[in-house]
Amino acid sequence: MTIVSGGTLAGGLVDTPDLFTIDGDLTLQEGATYHAYVKGPVGAGSDGAGSQHGQVLVTGSGVVGGTLKLVIAAGYTPATGDEIFVMLRNGGSGAFDKVVVVEGSTTMPDQPGAQGSAITIKGKTGTLRYNSHSSINLSSPATAADISIKF
């Protein structure tokens, strides 16, 4: 699956985060957006992945670029130790060009999307991480993520 410039991939809509599985490869081209709704960290809900924030599970390779857009629920403020799983992929490359955080009706200034970038959500700062997994455990996607934000 390829998301072209101007296109959007959504891992859950407002107040309905979900685990979206792509059976095969994913490419997010420059100018594309991955949109995730966040109302809590992984593991805060009954089943972890996809229960508290949108997450994409890619069974093939995931090449990322473009924008990561995080829409934050009114009742959630990250705490130390929280982790938001953005994407789990079976290998891949790239990085988001920027991260856009929306808090309520306010879109915060763009933040960098590079490995190790500081991402601020409701005054709390986490680290954007790109990890490498040579294989993924499809039966337990809540255990790891290739792309995550750790507070």
Side-chain angles (χ1 to χ4, degrees):
M1 172 185 286
T2 298
I3 309 300
V4 299
S5 180
T8 299
L9 174 65
L13 301 174
V14 173
D15 208 31
T16 57
D18 199 5
L19 176 64
F20 181 75
T21 300
I22 296 172
D23 189 16
D25 297 336
L26 170 67
T27 299
L28 289 167
Q29 293 182 343
E30 184 177 335
T33 300
Y34 170 57
H35 178 129
Y37 181 76
V38 180
K39 67 177 190 176
V42 70
S46 60
D47 65 357
S51 66
Q52 294 296 304
H53 56 268
Q55 180 184 356
V56 173
L57 170 64
V58 183
T59 64
S61 178
V63 178
V64 297
T67 300
L68 170 60
K69 182 177 183 178
L70 302 171
V71 178
I72 311 302
Y76 175 60
T77 298
T80 300
D82 281 3
E83 188 162 12
I84 298 169
F85 286 1
V86 176
M87 184 180 294
L88 181 63
R89 55 193 176 159
N90 198 7
S93 62
F96 291 105
D97 299 321
K98 64 181 176 182
V99 178
V100 174
V101 176
V102 179
E103 299 175 2
S105 61
T106 304
T107 300
M108 307 308 288
D110 292 352
Q111 301 179 60
Q115 166 74 6
S117 292
I119 304 298
T120 302
I121 297 174
K122 293 191 176 175
K124 306 293 182 181
T125 302
T127 302
L128 180 60
R129 305 187 309 180
Y130 295 88
N131 303 306
S132 263
H133 292 106
S134 57
S135 63
I136 56 177
N137 181 354
L138 296 177
S139 63
S140 184
T143 60
D146 276 323
I147 304 172
S148 66
I149 302 169
K150 178 73 173 177
F151 291 90

